[in-house]
Amino acid sequence: TFQELADYHEDHVFPELRAVATHRSALKVHLLPAFGGMDLVEVTEQAIDRFSTRMNNRSAKSRKNILAILRRMLNKACSLGWLHTVPKITMPRLTEVELNYMATTTEFQAFLDAAGEERPGIAELYATALYTGMRAGELAGLRRFDVDLLRRRIRVARAYDGVPTKS
């Protein structure tokens, strides 16, 4: 059953994940209410399409994330021999959102100047984030020896919690 697959996932797959809370929430709030009482063979393309349609009040990104978790679970069921084939899952298309804030260098500098008035180090933190594209956890995980000012290099080796970075 889908419930047995969810239990297997909780016991064997979740411990390996970085975003356990996100996966657990998607499972409990969305996937189990929709598929929990079904046999795995009843989780068909049509059932998944109905589920996806019922989630239309969620953002396309949220729907895509939830469906990706479902796909991962069904792939695991297939590899365990619990399911012969994985039904097709149509992922929602994500539209590119135009970000029009800080469009000019003047706005960029005004932001950094305002951040600098907050307290020492904040403007430098934001400038590092904006110029490098580093994630918040990666910035928080930086150590003095990760920054080489002479070579103008930053080594991104860990996130805040000490776990290696995503990519």
Side-chain angles (χ1 to χ4, degrees), residues 19-63:
V20 175
T22 303
H23 280 71
R24 186 168 283 128
S25 174
L27 184 61
K28 291 190 189 308
V29 173
H30 300 287
L31 298 173
L32 280 174
F35 303 109
M38 294 180 162
D39 286 333
L40 286 175
V41 294
E42 295 175 303
V43 182
T44 62
E45 182 177 349
Q46 294 83 5
I48 294 167
D49 287 345
R50 283 192 302 273
F51 168 70
S52 185
T53 301
R54 284 194 311 267
M55 287 195 308
N56 274 343
N57 61 333
R58 317 278 299 163
S59 72
K61 177 77 171 128
S62 292
R63 286 194 327 269

Side-chain angles (χ1 to χ4, degrees), residues 82-97:
W82 296 1
L83 195 60
H84 292 297
T85 59
V86 176
K88 182 176 186 275
I89 298 177
T90 305
M91 297 299 227
R93 292 198 184 272
L94 300 181
T95 57
E96 204 166 306
V97 178

Side-chain angles (χ1 to χ4, degrees), residues 65-152:
N65 289 343
I66 293 164
L67 290 170
I69 293 167
L70 176 61
R71 176 185 285 159
R72 181 178 189 160
M73 291 177 71
L74 295 174
N75 282 332
K76 178 55 98 173
C78 198
S79 72
L80 291 169
W82 296 1
L83 195 60
H84 292 297
T85 59
V86 176
K88 182 176 186 275
I89 298 177
T90 305
M91 297 299 227
R93 292 198 184 272
L94 300 181
T95 57
E96 204 166 306
V97 178
E98 184 178 322
L99 303 177
N100 57 7
Y101 55 89
M102 289 195 286
T104 67
T105 54
T106 305
E107 292 171 334
F108 189 88
Q109 191 57 53
F111 171 77
L112 292 177
D113 291 343
E117 294 173 9
E118 288 294 313
R119 65 175 192 247
I122 294 297
E124 292 80 1
L125 177 71
Y126 283 134
T128 304
L130 293 169
Y131 283 118
T132 67
M134 290 171 61
R135 296 177 174 97
E138 294 167 346
L139 286 165
L142 283 177
R143 303 293 178 262
R144 182 177 297 274
F145 55 84
D146 293 325
V147 180
D148 184 343
L149 293 175
L150 293 176
R151 289 190 183 146
R152 299 175 50 123

